[in-house]
Amino acid sequence: MARRAEFYYDGTYYRKRVKLKSGVWKDVRAKSKEELRKKLYDLETAQRMGIVLDDKTTVAELAAQWFNNRKDKWSYSRKEDYVNAINVHICPYIGGMLVKEVKPEHCQMVLSKMAHLSNSMQSKTVTTLKQIFECAEENGLIFRSPCSKLKAAGERSKEKTPLTPEQSKALLEATKGTRAYLFIMLGLYAGLRREEICGLRWVDVDLTGNPPHLTVNNAVRFEGTKAVFPSPLKTRAAHRTIPLPAALAAALAEAKKQTKSVFVVPSANGGVATPQSVRNLMKIIDRRRASNVVSLNQEDQKQPRGPKIERTLDFKVTPHLLRHTYLTRLCESGLDVKKCQYLAGHADIKVTLGIYCHVTNNRPEQLIEAVEKAFTG
């Protein structure tokens, strides 16, 4: 009696029907015997590990379940990142696919659609994809994640260059007497995040203490055009007490005499600062940049509105740059890295070390002795 063939060949594919634990028959096919044997082995292993082989869950359905079951433990900004990654970059391309049908090439295709975007944006999408498919793996929907080796590409953010002491001085001189002045001081001399500056109240500032200090207790959360106060701080480490340098203490004391608001840096009407309030403060700085001077045709000459502003700054300023400058000055002073971490409110010391190691002991005058020794014996 002739031996039964291992596989059935239909002229294009090698096939074999397998009965799943659920009682359903599954047709497995491949273009070679070796490939089919591998698929059958993976199928048998998957059944042994409890994988639900006849599951019909789509990527969009799994993403929604994964997000809704975890959203309560995330910050608002983290939730926004995940929602954007799912709705804009993942679901339009693979959302309708069954989870079990997604291959590494499909995940790579998602990234290829983002080729024009930054490394940061791509990284957020890769992180989201990996967590969604890890969830599928843990719940027995798939044998292995199709995006475990996925890596973000795109242009990395340029390294932030802190303001020099001369630039910091020029910035303060150019904005003194404006509503932006105290915002800048709190960034440069206390290293507060934008949301922490907007959430700082006078009850959080102790100007009579020894030394004068402020405590970061709350933050503002920006949702579109609105500001939500009070909002939780970014992490537990963000709750900290910061000693005030004399210049900042003096500026706060002067500002406290002239305000009726409970907020140190309020909006124009005295309430909590909104995203537009912060943009307006940044415009005050931007109007003092020399690069913004626009030459007009003679027939189009216009009288400037308001007082004449002297454009003395030749650099751009952002709220985070002020904070970055603060931490750089701390590192340059030789302050212990753990103390730098505390004052910056970093939950992970790796973030602090990334700045600390780059700043300290790496200037030419600090390295020349070792370099000379290396090449002169």
Side-chain angles (χ1 to χ4, degrees):
M1 185 175 179
R3 184 179 178 184
R4 186 174 181 179
E6 182 182 8
F7 306 126
Y8 168 70
Y9 184 65
D10 62 6
T12 305
Y13 294 103
Y14 290 94
R15 301 171 177 266
K16 184 162 186 175
R17 296 191 76 203
V18 179
K19 190 174 185 179
L20 305 181
K21 287 185 177 180
S22 61
V24 177
W25 287 89
K26 181 177 178 64
D27 190 28
V28 185
R29 64 180 188 174
K31 288 195 173 183
S32 69
K33 290 182 179 181
E34 291 74 17
E35 183 185 355
L36 186 54
R37 289 190 186 102
K38 183 179 182 304
K39 284 188 174 183
L40 290 170
Y41 174 78
D42 286 349
L43 184 65
E44 182 185 348
T45 304
Q47 288 205 95
R48 194 165 57 246
M49 295 180 68
I51 304 297
V52 185
L53 296 172
D54 53 351
D55 179 74
K56 302 296 183 184
T57 304
T58 66
V59 173
E61 291 169 343
L62 178 62
Q65 290 178 350
W66 170 82
F67 179 85
N68 289 326
N69 290 339
R70 292 161 177 78
K71 63 182 181 180
D72 292 337
K73 66 179 183 179
W74 294 327
S75 66
Y76 178 80
S77 60
R78 179 66 60 86
K79 284 188 282 191
E80 287 288 287
D81 288 342
Y82 285 139
V83 167
N84 181 68
I86 292 169
N87 291 343
V88 179
H89 303 298
I90 297 174
C91 284
Y93 304 107
I94 62 172
M97 294 181 66
L98 297 182
V99 172
K100 63 183 180 182
E101 293 178 350
V102 178
K103 306 298 180 189
E105 200 58 33
H106 296 125
C107 298
Q108 192 60 52
M109 181 263 292
V110 170
L111 272 193
S112 72
K113 300 293 184 181
M114 303 177 66
H116 61 291
L117 298 178
S118 68
N119 176 268
S120 174
M121 183 62 71
Q122 290 190 36
S123 295
K124 290 173 183 176
T125 301
V126 168
T127 299
T128 306
L129 271 171
K130 286 185 175 181
Q131 291 192 57
I132 290 172
F133 282 102
E134 281 172 11
C135 173
E137 196 175 338
E138 290 168 359
N139 286 278
L141 303 184
I142 54 176
F143 180 46
R144 63 173 67 90
S145 171
C147 55
S148 58
K149 297 182 179 179
L150 196 64
K151 292 184 179 180
E155 186 177 347
R156 292 184 178 275
S157 301
K158 293 181 180 178
E159 184 178 332
K160 295 179 180 66
T161 303
L163 299 177
T164 64
E166 293 75 22
Q167 287 176 324
S168 298
K169 182 179 178 181
L171 175 61
L172 292 171
E173 288 177 352
T175 56
K176 192 164 187 178
T178 70
R179 291 180 53 246
Y181 184 71
L182 203 54
F183 186 97
I184 295 167
M185 290 287 286
L186 287 165
L188 282 179
Y189 289 104
L192 300 190
R193 299 176 175 92
R194 176 188 62 169
E195 295 82 0
E196 293 170 348
I197 294 176
C198 295
L200 187 68
R201 298 171 297 173
W202 288 111
V203 294
D204 303 320
V205 180
D206 185 356
L207 296 174
T208 60
N210 186 22
H213 57 270
L214 63 81
T215 303
V216 182
N217 290 314
N218 295 291
V220 169
R221 184 175 76 243
F222 294 144
E223 295 184 3
T225 59
K226 297 180 179 178
V228 179
F229 179 86
S231 293
L233 296 172
K234 190 174 183 180
T235 62
R236 287 185 181 180
H239 182 92
R240 59 205 190 276
T241 299
I242 302 172
L244 303 178
L248 178 54
L252 286 168
E254 185 62 29
K256 190 174 183 181
K257 296 175 186 176
Q258 303 173 15
T259 185
K260 294 181 180 179
S261 175
V262 298
F263 294 99
V264 177
V265 181
S267 62
N269 63 8
V272 63
T274 63
Q276 185 59 51
S277 302
V278 177
R279 283 193 289 271
N280 290 340
L281 295 178
M282 291 297 101
K283 285 178 182 177
I284 291 174
I285 302 170
D286 205 44
R287 284 196 291 269
R288 284 152 178 80
R289 289 177 61 208
S291 58
N292 282 348
V293 176
V294 179
S295 60
L296 301 172
N297 297 328
Q298 283 190 341
E299 63 267 16
D300 196 32
Q301 291 282 348
K302 295 181 181 179
Q303 290 294 325
R305 296 176 62 184
K308 184 178 179 180
I309 297 174
E310 188 178 357
R311 301 178 186 272
T312 59
L313 306 178
D314 60 356
F315 50 88
K316 186 174 176 59
V317 177
T318 65
H320 186 72
L321 180 61
L322 301 174
R323 171 175 163 78
H324 183 62
T325 301
Y326 169 80
L327 186 53
T328 301
R329 293 289 96 82
L330 291 182
C331 294
E332 288 177 336
S333 72
L335 186 66
D336 176 77
V337 66
K338 289 296 290 183
K339 291 184 172 66
C340 288
Q341 179 191 7
Y342 171 78
L343 290 171
H346 287 154
D348 189 347
I349 196 169
K350 292 179 183 177
V351 180
T352 316
L353 283 170
I355 301 170
Y356 193 92
C357 294
H358 180 75
V359 170
T360 58
N361 302 320
N362 286 327
R363 292 193 293 270
E365 61 271 22
Q366 297 169 319
L367 298 172
I368 186 59
E369 185 179 346
V371 172
E372 287 284 9
K373 185 176 181 180
F375 290 100
T376 60

